[in-house]
């Protein structure tokens, strides 16, 4: 069994190395054994100062030794750098959905979105979701807050095509629904939003979006 796992691991690394070589990118390939995948990834990020973790969202089948879904969730939640959870086959990124709630993490996420949009000549949709319960209590005030957040975010975008969108409902559910319905290629979201006392995104929004969205998700911290 051990030899079979080692053989499979080497094959995975060879395949990955070939993909990078085709793009002219230098890689450092490692095969690590007898370690927890998520804990190992987190430790490497911490010790070696990586700028980005890229990870898949699901294992191929339930018979595999580790559930990559749970590994992705743990890494996305605890890594000290941004995490890209890839769910689709590679293609050109033409539409990106940037979730904006006025928090510092959301603005960091927006910086990443702008850089990617410039590189791929893609369009960004700035999406702010206000809780529908609060909207029903104070519709004009809550709508005003949402519009203000979007306008402030718009001032930070240069040389990129974008539009603004204000929705009301559950933040995570609304982000996932909009991304699915309108076929976005990538969702970009901050790892933590403003506190519930301030009425906007809860920290769990990025967790819910990363695990349940159909498209790839970039979580920025």
């Amino acid at each position: 069994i051990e030899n079979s796992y080692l053989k499979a691991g080497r094959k995975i690394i060879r395949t990955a190395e070939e993909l990078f070589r085709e793009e002219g990118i230098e890689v450092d390939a490692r095969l690590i054994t007898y370690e927890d995948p998520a804990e190992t990834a987190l430790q490497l990020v911490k010790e070696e100062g990586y700028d980005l973790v890229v990870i898949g969202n699901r294992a191929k089948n339930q018979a595999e030794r580790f559930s990559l879904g749970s590994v992705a969730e743990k890494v996305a939640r605890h890594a000290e750098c941004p995490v890209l959870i890839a769910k689709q086959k590679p293609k050109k990124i033409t539409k990106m959905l940037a979730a904006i709630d006025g928090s510092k993490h959301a603005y960091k996420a927006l910086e990443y979105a702008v850089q990617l949009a410039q590189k791929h000549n893609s369009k960004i949709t700035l999406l702010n979701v206000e809780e529908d319960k609060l909207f029903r209590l104070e519709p004009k005030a809550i709508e005003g807050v949402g519009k203000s957040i979007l306008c402030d975010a718009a001032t930070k975008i240069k040389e990129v095509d974008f539009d603004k969108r204000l929705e009301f409902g559950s933040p995570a559910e609304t982000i996932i629904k909009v991304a699915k319905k309108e076929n976005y290629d990538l969702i970009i979201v901050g790892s933590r939003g403003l506190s519930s006392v301030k009425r906007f995104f809860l920290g769990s929004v990025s967790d819910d979006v990363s695990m349940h969205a159909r498209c790839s998700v970039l979580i920025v911290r």
Side-chain angles (χ1 to χ4, degrees):
I1 294 176
E2 179 181 358
N3 288 335
S4 295
Y5 274 118
L6 289 173
K7 184 177 180 180
R10 295 189 187 101
K11 182 178 180 181
I12 290 169
I13 286 179
R14 286 197 301 272
T15 301
E17 285 180 312
E18 182 60 31
L19 291 173
F20 281 97
R21 277 197 294 268
E22 290 175 359
E23 297 295 330
I25 301 173
E26 183 179 352
V27 294
D28 170 24
R30 308 183 195 182
L31 177 58
I32 299 175
T33 59
Y34 302 110
E35 298 291 345
D36 176 85
E39 291 294 340
T40 301
L42 292 170
Q43 189 67 23
L44 286 172
V45 168
K46 183 177 181 179
E47 293 178 351
E48 303 184 19
Y50 288 96
D51 302 309
L52 178 69
V53 175
V54 181
I55 190 169
N57 187 50
R58 290 288 182 272
K60 290 183 178 180
N61 57 64
Q62 296 298 321
E64 292 189 2
R65 184 178 181 185
F66 298 106
S67 169
L68 191 55
S70 63
V71 173
E73 184 176 5
K74 188 171 183 179
V75 171
R77 186 173 294 168
H78 300 291
E80 296 180 2
C81 68
V83 177
L84 173 61
I85 300 179
K87 303 189 180 188
Q88 299 173 325
K89 293 182 179 180
K91 66 176 182 176
K92 184 175 176 60
I93 300 174
T94 59
K95 295 175 62 179
M96 293 187 293
L97 187 65
I100 302 297
D101 69 347
S103 68
K104 64 177 182 180
H105 289 290
Y107 286 127
K108 286 183 180 179
L110 182 57
E111 292 177 7
Y112 274 80
V114 171
Q115 292 180 35
L116 286 170
Q118 291 172 342
K119 181 177 179 60
H120 295 278
N121 192 28
S122 52
K123 181 177 180 179
I124 301 173
T125 295
L126 301 176
L127 173 64
N128 176 256
V129 184
E130 297 294 334
E131 291 283 355
D132 53 355
K133 292 180 180 179
L134 294 173
F135 177 74
R136 288 195 294 269
L137 291 173
E138 294 288 345
K140 290 185 179 180
I142 297 304
E143 183 177 5
V145 168
K147 289 181 178 179
S148 177
I149 290 173
L150 289 171
C151 288
D152 184 53
T155 64
K156 304 180 184 302
I157 299 180
K158 306 295 182 183
E159 301 177 355
V160 170
D161 186 19
F162 73 95
D163 59 8
K164 297 178 293 183
R165 182 164 179 168
L166 177 61
E167 295 285 343
F168 303 94
S170 166
E173 291 179 3
T174 303
I175 294 168
I176 294 168
K177 181 179 179 181
V178 170
K180 177 182 177 181
K181 183 178 180 180
E182 302 185 19
N183 296 316
Y184 281 90
D185 303 308
L186 178 67
I187 298 172
I188 303 179
V189 62
S191 60
R192 289 293 181 267
L194 296 173
S195 69
S196 57
V197 175
K198 294 184 178 180
R199 302 175 304 179
F200 304 116
F201 286 157
L202 301 178
S204 61
V205 170
S206 60
D207 295 337
D208 292 341
V209 172
S210 64
M211 291 300 105
H212 299 293
R214 288 193 174 182
C215 65
S216 298
V217 179
L218 174 61
I219 303 173
V220 179
R221 51 179 47 79

